[in-house]
Amino acid sequence: MYLIENYTRLPVRFVRGEGVYLYDDKGKRYLDFISGIAVCSLGHADPDLVEAVCDQAKKLLHVSNLFENPWQEELAEELVREFWTEGRVFFCNSGTEANETAIKIARKFWRDRGEDRYRIITFRNGFHGRTYGSLSATAQERFQDGFQPMLEGFDYAVLNDMESVKEVFTDKTGAVMLEVIQGEGGVNECEPGFLKSLQEFCREKGLLLIVDEVQTGIGRTGYFYGYQGYGIEPDIITLAKGLGGGVPVGAVVVRKDLAKVLTPGTHGSTFGGNPLACRASLTVVRKVRKLLPRVREVGEYFRKRLEELGAGRVKGRGLMIGLDTGTNCREVVLKALERGLVINCTAGKVLRFLPPLIVEKEHVDQAIEILKEIL
Ligand SMILES: *Cc1c(COP(=O)(O)O)cnc(C)c1O
């Protein structure tokens, strides 16, 4: 009634969750295979996460970035520990903010060197967020329509096509930004060979390689960071979604020598990395690390069972899986919901599965039974 109707909402009211299950206001139970779009990595009401959040709420919710913040320091150390080289971290509150930060760092990196290399190459069907920098980086008309003019300086290439990258490269290009698996774009995987060539190209031309790990990061693909599964070494990665397990938090991890681009006063966030968010995220990060072998195993099993269904092409890695049905899949989502399975349809025809990282094979079996009935 009083809400702006910018979302197409499904007719269900979830009021409670436990593990991989959600419950609506009538007490009906649902198997959650979307996790708030890759957010609730530990499932719902994880006792350790609940404990951390409640404990911190009793002590101190927020402290300004005018002051020291030991929770940020502790979390940053955990995030850098998983990075391929020495790194530094900036905290914000969402994926789009993390990407804005990455874009600002890339631009200022070159400005500081007195070079006019402000342009960034991004990829068709990518998704980087809704604020102007991130939206301009998002090479999809359906998100940009009506909001032009976009921010200057983005050139769009085609995923898995090195020639298209070389075509849009100019002497003003300073960075390349991409997802190793495009999430919103339809669970489109980068070919390992393409990423290797892209990394080589970046090194040859001195370009910064930015990997948007907002969806692929923090265990989703079976690796702590999605890029680790491809053997590349990005200069900057951006994180959000699963990082807080449901508490809003975003982060940017950069190679140590890039950290000096953001000198005091050049960038900031009021809420970014507040104690509540950091305590939640610390719990998530430490628990996800132990879940990685299981994410791979259950992910493989899920893929195999989906392939057996024979209802389309199966895509993705770990617990970031798509089923390209070839036709509009909105009906399937509604029917699944009726039968107590929460899934999502992206890019029009790709059923997307993003279960909590704690999901087990028996839950996969339950989901497959429901999908079998519908497809
Ligand atoms: C969801 C998403 C974003 C945007 O994150 P918000 O928290 O909604 O701003 C950016 N990049 C990728 C890859 C995403 O999946």
Side-chain angles (χ1 to χ4, degrees), residues 37-39 93-99 126-131 134 138 177-179 181-184 212-216 238 240-241 249 320 352:
I37 315 189
V39 167
N93 314 283
S94 66
T96 201
E97 281 174 76
N99 288 329
F127 182 81
H128 302 293
R130 306 281 195 159
T131 54
S134 305
T138 298
M177 172 157 132
L178 84 171
E179 303 154 82
I181 304 174
Q182 293 182 333
E184 303 308 300
D212 178 346
E213 294 263 7
V214 170
Q215 197 161 146
T216 52
T238 57
K241 291 206 165 94
V249 54
M320 180 169 181
R352 182 167 48 162

Side-chain angles (χ1 to χ4, degrees), residues 110 117 169 173-176 201-203 205-209 235:
W110 290 109
R117 295 177 66 169
F169 172 82
T173 308
V176 175
F201 184 73
C202 286
R203 288 199 168 140
K205 305 288 184 190
L207 302 170
L208 298 176
L209 179 58
D235 301 293

Side-chain angles (χ1 to χ4, degrees), residues 72-135:
Q72 278 184 24
E73 286 170 26
E74 201 178 342
L75 179 57
E77 188 180 342
E78 295 281 353
L79 296 178
V80 168
R81 209 174 109 190
E82 302 290 339
F83 200 48
W84 63 276
T85 182
E86 280 188 89
R88 293 288 183 265
V89 184
F90 169 81
F91 289 106
C92 52
N93 314 283
S94 66
T96 201
E97 281 174 76
N99 288 329
E100 292 292 336
T101 305
I103 293 164
K104 286 179 76 175
I105 292 173
R107 281 199 174 184
K108 192 161 178 298
F109 171 78
W110 290 109
R111 288 279 173 242
D112 286 353
R113 299 174 147 216
E115 293 194 48
D116 193 28
R117 295 177 66 169
Y118 67 94
R119 304 193 71 85
I120 299 177
I121 297 175
T122 63
F123 292 83
R124 302 247 170 233
N125 296 316
F127 182 81
H128 302 293
R130 306 281 195 159
T131 54
Y132 266 104
S134 305
L135 182 62

Side-chain angles (χ1 to χ4, degrees), residues 102-359:
I103 293 164
K104 286 179 76 175
I105 292 173
R107 281 199 174 184
K108 192 161 178 298
F109 171 78
W110 290 109
R111 288 279 173 242
D112 286 353
R113 299 174 147 216
E115 293 194 48
D116 193 28
R117 295 177 66 169
Y118 67 94
R119 304 193 71 85
I120 299 177
I121 297 175
T122 63
F123 292 83
R124 302 247 170 233
N125 296 316
F127 182 81
H128 302 293
R130 306 281 195 159
T131 54
Y132 266 104
S134 305
L135 182 62
S136 306
T138 298
Q140 297 197 59
E141 275 166 25
R142 64 184 171 121
F143 295 113
Q144 294 185 350
D145 261 1
F147 297 110
Q148 289 90 351
M150 289 295 115
L151 179 71
E152 241 275 278
F154 291 90
D155 299 300
Y156 306 142
V158 176
L159 203 69
N160 293 324
D161 180 351
M162 259 329 284
E163 282 312 306
S164 76
V165 176
K166 290 173 186 164
E167 262 166 42
V168 294
F169 172 82
T170 71
D171 58 358
K172 295 212 176 333
T173 308
V176 175
M177 172 157 132
L178 84 171
E179 303 154 82
V180 290
I181 304 174
Q182 293 182 333
E184 303 308 300
V187 196
N188 309 315
E189 290 176 83
C190 283
E191 287 160 13
F194 167 72
L195 283 177
K196 285 257 164 65
S197 312
L198 187 65
Q199 169 104 66
E200 271 168 37
F201 184 73
C202 286
R203 288 199 168 140
E204 185 190 317
K205 305 288 184 190
L207 302 170
L208 298 176
L209 179 58
I210 305 169
V211 177
D212 178 346
E213 294 263 7
V214 170
Q215 197 161 146
T216 52
I218 319 297
R220 180 51 56 188
T221 68
Y223 295 86
F224 192 83
Y225 297 129
Y227 79 80
Q228 292 167 336
Y230 297 88
I232 54 168
E233 297 173 341
D235 301 293
I236 302 175
I237 60 172
T238 57
L239 303 164
K241 291 206 165 94
L243 180 60
V247 175
V249 54
V252 184
V253 184
V254 303
R255 239 178 43 212
K256 189 180 163 192
D257 64 296
L258 284 175
K260 59 179 177 290
V261 169
L262 296 183
T263 50
T266 52
H267 191 55
S269 164
T270 296
F271 292 121
N274 83 10
L276 182 79
C278 288
R279 277 291 299 279
S281 184
L282 270 168
T283 308
V284 170
V285 163
R286 286 170 181 158
K287 290 192 86 164
V288 163
R289 198 175 274 138
K290 296 189 196 120
L291 286 169
L292 295 177
R294 198 162 115 193
V295 171
R296 288 185 220 175
E297 189 189 331
V298 178
E300 274 306 306
Y301 179 73
F302 191 13
R303 276 192 67 114
K304 192 182 100 221
R305 299 241 38 205
L306 276 175
E307 268 155 15
E308 284 165 13
L309 275 182
R313 195 158 65 88
V314 182
K315 317 198 275 183
R317 275 190 178 201
L319 290 169
M320 180 169 181
I321 301 179
L323 175 64
D324 192 338
T325 60
T327 56
N328 189 310
C329 53
R330 198 175 148 73
E331 265 314 291
V332 179
V333 170
L334 286 167
K335 283 182 180 162
L337 194 66
E338 257 170 48
R339 288 168 172 78
L341 172 66
V342 185
I343 51 173
N344 157 261
C345 167
T346 190
K349 55 190 176 57
V350 179
L351 286 177
R352 182 167 48 162
F353 308 97
L354 299 161
L357 306 183
I358 56 163
V359 74

